[in-house]
Structure formats: structure tokens, C-alpha cells
Amino acid sequence: DDYHRAINEFRTKDCMEICRMIYEADRIFLYGTGGMQEAVAKEMQRKFLYAGKCMYNYDGQGAFEQTIALANKNDLVIMISLSGESESTLAYAKQIKMKNIPLIAITKMKANKLVRLSDESIYAGTSVINASMDRHYETSVLYLILTEILLVKYIIYKEKREISWTMKIAIIAVIFSGVVPVLYTLQFAAILYGGSTVSLGMGFPICVTCFAAGVILTVTNHKIFKNVSGKNISGNIGSL
């Protein structure tokens, strides 16, 4: 039940701003505050390579302190924590905010100090399994599942961003190819009926080429948009 509730909540969560921060960041630095969190950071680093996004993961506090010193406002820091309340974690988060570096927090609790310091947050619950009377095991599978759903959301966001630019180019090409022929039609009429000897030049072949390019880009973008809309994505990604 915990798994289903958390997955359904995150699937419906608006991650547009988180995806924008990841897309526009020059560099992305991951930091896990513990052993399990470091494992999640490494897996997140590996997964986002498939989306063409390189993330840097540093183990240990010393390396992360150097990272904060080198990072700037054009970078992005993603901190993965359980409670979001440890003193060292909050100290790092305050340093990050003092330098105006964007910060995303991934924690298991919705109300914690790290979330309040971050620009955006992702909540990943955990389940506790009692192994014996004095021992228990806290699962981290939800962290891995939610980071994978985030990857899918990012891929869709990235494709839509790239589609928007090519669509603008296609629209400009189609408009250009529609306006220029009108001008050359008037010039051609002047040659026939007005006795003008002005040459049509290369304008007509150019506008035909622009029209063809605009049609090709429009058709291609339409197909890509259908593929990233979720309905036509096959396999596990489509089910997510």
C-alpha cells in the first residue's frame, strides 16, 4: 500500500519545474547523506546518462565541501536524505543557498528542515520490516522507483522542449515559403504583361526548399509528440 500510494502521488505530481532545473543546469551535483542515499545517487547518475544528462556524484563530506566551493548559480545540487534533519546536511544546504545555487531535496518525510531550504523537493517514503524483536530493516526501493519515474518525466520534458524549437523553425520556414512566392508571382506578371526584363533569380527555388523543409519538420514533430505523450511509448516506460 505504501508503494502504490507513493508511486501514484509522484506520477500525478507536477515535475515541470524540477525537469526545467535539470535541463537548464550547466552541471548537476548529487550528494547522498548516508550509505543507502549514496547508492540511490549512483543509480540516479547512471540512469540519467540515458537522457544525455551527466551528473556528478561525490562520496564523502570532504569532496562535497569542495564541490560547494566550486559550484555557482548556473549549476544544480540534488541532496538525497532520509530525515532531512541532520546538522551536517542542513549546514551544507545553508551554504548552497547563500551562493544562490538551485537545490532539490529528496527525502522520506514531507515536513523537514532540508525541504524548507530547498527550491524543489521529492518525497520518497520507506517501509520498515521487523527482522526480529530488536532489529528492523528500512527498505529504499521507493527511492529508486521515484528516481526512475523522474527520469521518464524528464525525457518527456526534454523532447517537448526540443520539439518547441524545431516547430518554431518549421513555422518560420512555412511562412517564408508562402510569402516569397506571392512576391515572385507579381514579378513574373510584370515580366509577362509589363515588359519587365528583371530576372526571377534564385528566390523561387529557395522558397520551394523552405516549404519542403517546413512540411518535413512539422510531420516529424507531430510523430515525436505522439511518441512522448505516453500513449505510444512501449514497455516499462509506457506503463509508468
Side-chain angles (χ1 to χ4, degrees):
D1 291 340
D2 292 339
Y3 292 164
H4 291 159
R5 183 175 63 255
I7 291 172
N8 288 332
E9 286 180 0
F10 191 65
R11 284 180 61 187
T12 57
K13 176 181 173 64
D14 183 6
C15 294
M16 188 72 70
E17 182 61 19
I18 294 176
C19 292
R20 184 197 64 79
M21 293 168 68
I22 295 174
Y23 184 85
E24 296 181 356
D26 291 343
R27 298 173 297 181
I28 301 176
F29 303 108
L30 300 171
Y31 178 65
T33 60
M36 183 275 288
Q37 298 91 311
E38 290 177 0
V40 174
K42 290 179 180 178
E43 185 64 15
M44 189 173 180
Q45 178 188 35
R46 183 188 67 82
K47 288 175 180 176
F48 270 81
L49 286 175
Y50 291 103
K53 202 67 179 179
C54 181
M55 298 182 174
Y56 302 93
N57 177 38
Y58 295 97
D59 297 333
Q61 295 183 353
F64 189 60
E65 289 174 357
Q66 294 179 1
T67 299
I68 296 175
L70 294 173
N72 57 61
K73 64 180 181 180
N74 297 319
D75 299 323
L76 172 66
V77 175
I78 301 177
M79 299 185 71
I80 304 171
S81 175
L82 284 177
S83 66
E85 297 285 351
S86 68
E87 293 183 3
S88 60
T89 299
L90 296 177
Y92 291 146
K94 290 176 182 178
Q95 293 178 41
I96 291 168
K97 297 311 297 177
M98 287 180 62
K99 296 188 65 176
N100 293 320
I101 303 171
L103 174 63
I104 296 175
I106 302 178
T107 69
K108 75 169 184 176
M109 297 173 62
K110 293 189 176 181
N112 59 71
K113 294 179 180 178
L114 178 59
V115 167
R116 288 194 288 271
L117 288 170
S118 63
D119 299 290
E120 291 290 331
S121 59
I122 298 173
Y123 306 114
T126 59
S127 295
V128 178
I129 300 174
N130 294 320
S132 63
M133 294 295 294
D134 57 347
R135 291 189 302 170
H136 65 273
Y137 173 72
E138 194 168 16
T139 64
S140 59
V141 65
L142 268 178
Y143 276 76
L144 300 174
I145 292 175
L146 295 187
T147 54
E148 185 148 345
I149 297 176
L150 177 62
L151 170 63
V152 175
K153 287 176 176 283
Y154 175 75
I155 291 174
I156 295 174
Y157 174 86
K158 179 183 177 182
E159 292 290 346
K160 288 183 178 179
R161 280 284 295 258
E162 294 174 354
I163 287 172
S164 65
W165 283 106
T166 53
M167 279 297 292
K168 291 177 182 178
I169 296 173
I171 292 172
I172 293 172
V174 171
I175 292 174
F176 180 78
S177 64
V179 172
V180 174
V182 174
L183 299 178
Y184 277 88
T185 300
L186 295 175
Q187 185 179 7
F188 184 70
I191 294 173
L192 289 179
Y193 302 105
S196 175
T197 58
V198 178
S199 174
L200 292 177
M202 292 299 294
F204 189 74
I206 291 174
C207 70
V208 171
T209 303
C210 288
F211 179 79
V215 171
I216 292 172
L217 284 170
T218 303
V219 173
T220 302
N221 285 324
H222 176 69
K223 291 181 179 179
I224 294 174
F225 184 80
K226 287 181 64 179
N227 288 334
V228 301
S229 64
K231 296 180 180 179
N232 296 335
I233 299 178
S234 60
N236 294 328
I237 293 180
S239 64
L240 292 173

